[in-house]
């Protein structure tokens, strides 16, 4: 097994434990990044519903910090606030999820922390 950290830096409440143990085989199937580049966060709010629900656990890969295609989900900061957003490139910058009121970041206000590579929700 490998340890994957639960970081306190952004995007809502931290997972209750400092280290979350996860089976190495499962994580290796999801992403080739090292354990140092992965962390868990808990989603908060409903702006990403139904893809991500309030309280879902997210696995984020910090080695992926540049969008390579549209409509991927990213952990970002904008104006210093942590968020999880689906980003879509546009001429004026990146646009957010079309199911919520539009927001555009083109003035350097957005910083990409990493790509959300897995969502674990309640059934």
């Amino acid at each position: 097994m490998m340890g994957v950290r639960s970081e306190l830096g952004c995007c809502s409440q931290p997972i209750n434990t400092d280290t979350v143990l996860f089976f190495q085989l499962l994580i290796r199937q999801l992403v080739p990044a090292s354990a140092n580049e992965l962390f868990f966060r808990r989603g908060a709010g409903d702006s990403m519903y139904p893809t991500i629900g309030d309280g879902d656990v997210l696995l984020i890969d910090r080695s992926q910090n540049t969008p390579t295609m549209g409509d991927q989900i990213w952990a970002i900061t904008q104006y210093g606030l942590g968020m999880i957003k689906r980003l879509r490139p546009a001429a004026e910058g990146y646009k957010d999820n079309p199911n919520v009121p539009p927001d555009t970041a083109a003035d350097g206000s957005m910083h990409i922390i990493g790509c959300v590579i897995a969502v674990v929700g309640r059934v």
Side-chain angles (χ1 to χ4, degrees):
M1 292 198 297
M2 65 190 289
V4 180
R5 293 175 295 143
S6 173
E7 300 233 335
L8 303 176
C10 79
C11 312
S12 175
Q13 303 171 19
I15 305 302
N16 291 332
T17 178
D18 291 336
T19 302
V20 179
L21 293 178
F22 216 83
F23 292 105
Q24 186 173 6
L25 179 61
L26 177 60
I27 289 181
R28 287 289 156 244
Q29 288 181 0
L30 295 173
V31 64
S34 72
N36 293 338
E37 297 291 339
L38 303 174
F39 67 99
F40 286 98
R41 296 298 298 176
R42 189 176 299 279
D46 62 359
S47 70
M48 289 298 299
Y49 185 81
T51 305
I52 299 171
D54 187 40
D56 285 355
V57 175
L58 312 173
L59 179 56
I60 299 167
D61 177 2
R62 264 197 285 190
S63 72
Q64 297 184 52
N65 56 16
T66 304
T68 56
M69 60 189 305
D71 292 324
Q72 289 180 310
I73 300 173
W74 297 88
I76 67 168
T77 60
Q78 188 168 9
Y79 301 110
L81 299 175
M83 305 177 205
I84 302 294
K85 296 294 175 188
R86 182 184 312 273
L87 299 180
R88 175 174 292 167
E92 62 275 7
Y94 286 98
K95 291 194 174 194
D96 189 6
N97 183 343
N99 295 325
V100 297
D103 189 12
T104 302
D107 61 1
S109 65
M110 182 182 74
H111 172 71
I112 296 176
I113 296 167
C115 187
V116 176
I117 58 169
V119 178
V120 181
R122 296 178 206 102
V123 291

